[in-house]
Amino acid sequence: MINILYWNAGIRTEEDRHSIRGENVRQKIIELILENNIDIVILAEYTFDMKLMCDMLSVNGQDFKTAPVPEDSRAKMLVSMKFNVELIRDSKYYFICSINNALIDFLIAGLHFPSKRYAENRDREIVAEQFMDALCEAQSEAEHKKVIIAGDFNADPFEEVMLKANYFHALPYADIVENKRERDVYGRNYQMFYNPMWNFFGDLNTPHSTCYYDSGGAFNFYKHIFDQVIVSADMVKYFDKDNLKIVTETSSGVLADGKGIPNRKEYSDHLPIVFGIKEDA
């Protein structure tokens, strides 16, 4: 099993880095990696030196390396030394890397799309178009379509940028995605993705969101799942649904209150997600 962690850590500025909250977040990342046997770490809004994180993990008996992601990327990645990693495409808002070992070869993308506070939906759609073009090129070069995409999409699973065929085309039904694989829309085929994050919606189970925002506008959903993982049709059989979780606590304390609202004063205003990929389907 390959265990993967994604977290928008909320460490944006130099002031954040030198704050108690910054140190709290850094220690939480190490705990999350150790307690969940993480092999791949994707972080957004993490302005600490990634190589320093590798050194800190090495002290704890974990051998990681930084992925060759540009410094100005809004998402970064650490990878266990047991994997080979190669950067295929990148921009300020995403990266696409090839990951492989003796058992599996797949593409993994980390992203952090423009914020809802400072950008319109159309801005995210433009970045999504650019990303999908880059992903198609990466799939062609890799000669396969095994893809994992994880990050802060700054959109809920039900928003147009997540559902429309020319964007992420990410549906909540694994069987449909795996069987149909792609859909013809006005004479053009668009590949489909499975989005398991739909399973967290509603109030039957907790947690049911990764971030909380109480707006004063006409529409207020309160609890959002902006932080998501989606997988391509070829990757559905490798994805371990039972291993997907929104993390609210580690051994040293909680990241959210009893209602699942992130403790933004001590950590981040987002909660991390952890999921697993089977190496042999």
Side-chain angles (χ1 to χ4, degrees):
M1 183 72 72
I2 302 170
N3 295 312
I4 302 174
L5 163 69
Y6 171 79
W7 194 13
N8 181 328
I11 304 302
R12 305 173 180 88
T13 66
E14 184 173 351
E15 181 180 356
D16 290 337
R17 287 198 303 272
H18 292 93
S19 67
I20 294 176
R21 188 174 68 84
E23 184 58 30
N24 289 345
V25 166
R26 189 158 58 175
Q27 292 301 319
K28 278 295 181 196
I29 292 171
I30 293 174
E31 288 179 18
L32 286 162
I33 292 170
L34 296 177
E35 293 173 13
N36 294 279
N37 298 313
I38 297 297
D39 302 294
I40 298 172
V41 184
I42 301 174
L43 299 172
E45 295 188 1
Y46 186 78
T47 53
F48 284 110
D49 185 349
M50 295 292 279
K51 291 182 179 179
L52 178 59
M53 176 61 69
C54 291
D55 293 340
M56 296 172 71
L57 288 166
S58 179
V59 171
N60 288 275
Q62 303 294 313
D63 293 325
F64 279 80
K65 59 187 174 183
T66 59
V69 176
E71 282 295 319
D72 65 346
S73 176
R74 285 159 58 97
K76 303 291 197 306
M77 183 167 67
L78 298 178
V79 180
S80 170
M81 294 293 287
K82 63 186 179 183
F83 295 107
N84 299 313
V85 56
E86 178 185 359
L87 179 67
I88 306 297
R89 291 289 187 278
D90 70 272
S91 85
K92 176 181 178 180
Y93 296 101
Y94 61 81
F95 65 79
I96 304 171
C97 286
S98 172
I99 300 278
N100 67 79
N101 63 10
L103 295 175
I104 192 170
D105 187 357
F106 60 92
L107 296 174
I108 188 165
L111 54 81
H112 182 201
F113 272 23
S115 168
K116 278 188 173 292
R117 294 187 180 184
Y118 308 112
E120 301 295 329
N121 289 338
R122 183 54 187 155
D123 297 313
R124 280 177 290 280
E125 291 170 358
I126 289 172
V127 178
E129 288 176 338
Q130 296 171 351
F131 173 84
M132 293 309 298
D133 287 343
L135 179 61
C136 288
E137 293 171 359
Q139 288 174 314
S140 179
E141 290 181 20
E143 298 182 342
H144 67 73
K145 292 188 176 182
K146 295 196 291 290
V147 180
I148 303 166
I149 305 170
D152 181 354
F153 292 77
N154 264 304
D156 279 300
F158 52 77
E159 294 191 52
E160 290 189 3
V161 71
M162 300 303 302
L163 288 172
K164 277 188 173 180
N166 57 324
Y167 303 135
F168 288 105
H169 206 189
L171 307 180
Y173 309 111
D175 57 342
I176 292 176
V177 171
E178 187 172 21
N179 292 328
K180 284 186 66 69
R181 308 179 63 79
E182 58 185 28
R183 190 163 63 94
D184 182 287
V185 181
Y186 296 111
R188 179 176 176 180
N189 286 327
Y190 294 89
Q191 63 179 314
M192 303 166 77
F193 288 82
Y194 168 52
N195 188 348
M197 303 303 295
W198 280 88
N199 292 298
F200 291 103
F201 278 125
D203 59 2
L204 294 182
N205 300 294
T206 55
H208 33 72
S209 63
T210 63
C211 53
Y212 179 89
Y213 180 60
D214 187 358
S215 72
F219 175 81
N220 188 354
F221 202 66
Y222 289 99
K223 296 187 176 183
H224 300 273
I225 302 179
F226 294 159
D227 309 277
Q228 303 172 57
V229 53
I230 64 176
V231 297
S232 64
D234 282 357
M235 208 67 194
V236 169
K237 63 185 177 182
Y238 294 92
F239 188 81
D240 184 2
K241 295 180 187 178
D242 296 331
N243 214 19
L244 172 65
K245 59 184 176 180
I246 297 171
V247 183
T248 58
E249 63 181 311
T250 67
S251 59
S252 69
V254 298
L255 293 165
D257 65 18
K259 297 180 180 179
I261 299 174
N263 181 353
R264 61 192 306 165
K265 291 184 179 180
E266 294 187 57
Y267 302 106
S268 172
D269 55 350
H270 290 247
L271 293 174
I273 60 173
V274 169
F275 56 95
I277 300 296
K278 304 168 188 174
E279 291 181 273
D280 185 355

